[in-house]
Amino acid sequence: MTVRFRHADAVRAAYPELSAGALYAAGVGAAVDTRQRAAAYTARAVARLASATEGEFPEVLAWRRTFARMGVKPTQYRSASESLLRRLRKEGELPRIHPLVDLCNAISVAYAVPVAVLDVDRIAGPLLEVRPARGDETYTAFGGGVEHPAPGEVTFVDSAGRAHARRWTHRQSGHSAVGAHTGRVLVVTEAMHDGGADTVAEVLKTVEEEVTAHWGATPTTATLTPETPEFPFAH
């Protein structure tokens, strides 16, 4: 089955500044050491944080504005990239979860934009869409609890009505979290700041190069625009 990933027209219309890109890769097992490369990207973020806090970064401020427009208090619910940058500034390191997730988290702080990594085999096709919630979607938290995104909250929803995120880029779902069992992934990066299209293109290129180098995989990528809004990938 081919699954299509897209942003709903309503999201595109409400957030015309959105830049987004996606990558699909298979064969990304956990028996790979990405620590050295992750450390190199993390060091870039540390250097930037030495002269300004993450709350001053244009990339972060743009997501704060987006959250406010979505009706979410941006200092209570932060984008994933802001949360990672904040943790890095306060604790000096990022959590270790999975070689690919660790690498993408490091790339996320280096570029200060969210980079989501989802287990493809936990997504119900044929459509995964970033859209406003209706309120009946089911979200599984990392602790196992079940939540329902509020109506209008932007989230990733698959064809089974399962939400794979809360508050857009705030938090991913435990259901599709990457782990030792994961073999295929969908990586999504999104930006809202001026120049976001260039950042998204650079992040996609970086993730593609790292996946190829570490796993010997041949990822497929796409920059998503209003003219080419869909990314079909193998399920």
Side-chain angles (χ1 to χ4, degrees):
M1 177 194 296
T2 297
V3 179
R4 294 173 293 121
F5 171 73
R6 72 185 305 274
H7 291 79
D9 293 342
V11 170
R12 289 282 182 186
Y15 305 95
E17 67 272 37
L18 170 67
S19 296
L23 175 148
Y24 167 81
V28 289
V32 171
D33 187 353
T34 60
R35 286 175 294 181
Q36 184 176 356
R37 292 300 297 152
Y41 292 113
T42 302
R44 287 171 50 180
V46 169
R48 188 176 180 188
L49 286 167
S51 58
T53 65
E54 69 282 354
E56 299 173 83
F57 293 2
E59 302 92 337
V60 169
L61 288 169
W63 273 109
R64 287 188 179 184
R65 291 191 295 269
T66 298
F67 275 35
R69 286 164 56 194
M70 192 167 52
V72 174
K73 188 175 180 181
T75 53
Q76 181 178 1
Y77 299 103
R78 306 173 192 275
S79 66
S81 49
E82 180 179 356
S83 294
L84 288 169
L85 282 162
R86 192 167 185 259
R87 176 165 177 164
L88 180 62
R89 176 172 57 82
K90 288 177 173 289
E91 300 181 15
E93 60 183 8
L94 297 177
R96 292 184 60 188
I97 300 167
H98 177 280
L100 179 57
V101 175
D102 298 350
L103 188 59
C104 286
N105 280 347
I107 292 170
S108 176
V109 295
Y111 289 94
V113 295
V115 180
V117 189
L118 294 85
D119 187 325
V120 165
D121 292 310
R122 304 289 281 172
I123 296 169
L127 180 66
L128 177 64
E129 187 174 43
V130 181
R131 64 163 173 81
R134 294 189 294 263
D136 59 352
E137 297 84 0
T138 301
Y139 170 89
T140 303
F142 277 86
V146 175
E147 304 171 8
H148 299 285
E153 177 185 321
V154 179
T155 182
F156 289 56
V157 185
D158 68 17
S159 293
R162 186 179 292 277
H164 293 272
R166 286 302 310 270
R167 301 171 185 88
W168 201 341
T169 58
H170 167 61
R171 189 175 69 211
Q172 289 185 231
S173 166
H175 180 79
S176 52
V178 170
H181 58 279
T182 302
R184 301 183 297 163
V185 294
L186 175 70
V187 179
V188 178
T189 183
E190 297 160 301
M192 289 290 186
H193 62 285
D194 290 342
D198 291 338
T199 301
V200 163
E202 188 63 27
V203 168
L204 274 184
K205 179 172 178 277
T206 301
V207 175
E208 180 179 19
E209 290 174 348
E210 295 291 355
V211 168
T212 300
H214 286 92
W215 284 272
T218 305
T220 56
T221 66
T223 299
L224 303 172
T225 68
E227 293 72 33
T228 55
E230 294 192 352
F231 174 57
F233 59 94
H235 195 286

